Amino acid sequence: MTVPRHPEADCARDNTATVLTAMRELFGEKDLTALDRYWAEPYVQHSPGMPSGLDTLRAAVPDLRGFRWEPQRIAAQGDLVFTHSVVHGWAPGPVAIVDIFRLENGRIVEHWDVVQDLVPPEETVSGEPMV
């Protein structure tokens, strides 16, 4: 008996692997050639403080000091990959970030994010951690 393949699930799995590898190589290893392997122009950036285009990332990454991207949750649907992460070195203190990546032909072509200062659980109203 042959198990049916689910193209959308395969696409989501492949896109998740691409995003995780791309982010590790670019931000963790500071390998700017990752932009050529995993991103594509036109790269549309929806983050309010950054313009579209890969030149922005190319210029920003070398100056990041102490940057650590720690994904805690990952979900994918079709051409979208969502990560919920703790990030150090992007802002003065640690932040919680939800990133949404859209991929086309296996490459990242669009990005959205929501960034919040990371508040310790004992300082939240609910007492629950943010991430």
Side-chain angles (χ1 to χ4, degrees):
M1 179 167 129
T2 303
V3 177
R5 292 184 52 106
H6 298 283
E8 185 171 316
D10 291 343
C11 178
R13 184 193 64 240
D14 293 347
N15 286 342
T16 298
T18 296
V19 166
L20 292 175
T21 300
M23 293 294 286
R24 177 181 46 79
E25 289 184 15
L26 180 62
F27 289 102
E29 300 169 12
K30 291 196 172 29
D31 179 359
L32 294 179
T33 66
L35 288 166
D36 302 321
R37 287 189 297 280
Y38 305 111
W39 277 263
E41 294 282 15
Y43 176 65
V44 180
Q45 176 62 264
H46 297 277
S47 184
M50 296 179 74
S52 291
L54 295 178
D55 287 341
T56 300
L57 290 175
R58 214 175 299 281
V61 169
D63 294 332
L64 292 175
R65 301 287 176 253
F67 186 89
R68 281 192 340 265
W69 181 66
E70 302 169 354
Q72 305 296 305
R73 293 171 188 80
I74 301 161
Q77 181 178 11
D79 62 352
L80 298 173
V81 176
F82 309 82
T83 62
H84 186 206
S85 309
V86 174
V87 176
H88 303 268
W90 186 257
V95 290
I97 299 182
V98 173
D99 287 293
I100 304 168
F101 304 90
R102 187 177 69 81
L103 288 83
E104 192 173 281
N105 299 318
R107 308 225 2 225
I108 301 167
V109 295
E110 199 162 6
H111 173 258
W112 298 260
D113 61 22
V114 179
V115 181
Q116 290 181 294
D117 290 337
L118 189 62
V119 176
E122 60 273 11
E123 294 179 21
T124 66
V125 172
S126 68
E128 299 295 332
M130 293 177 61
V131 181

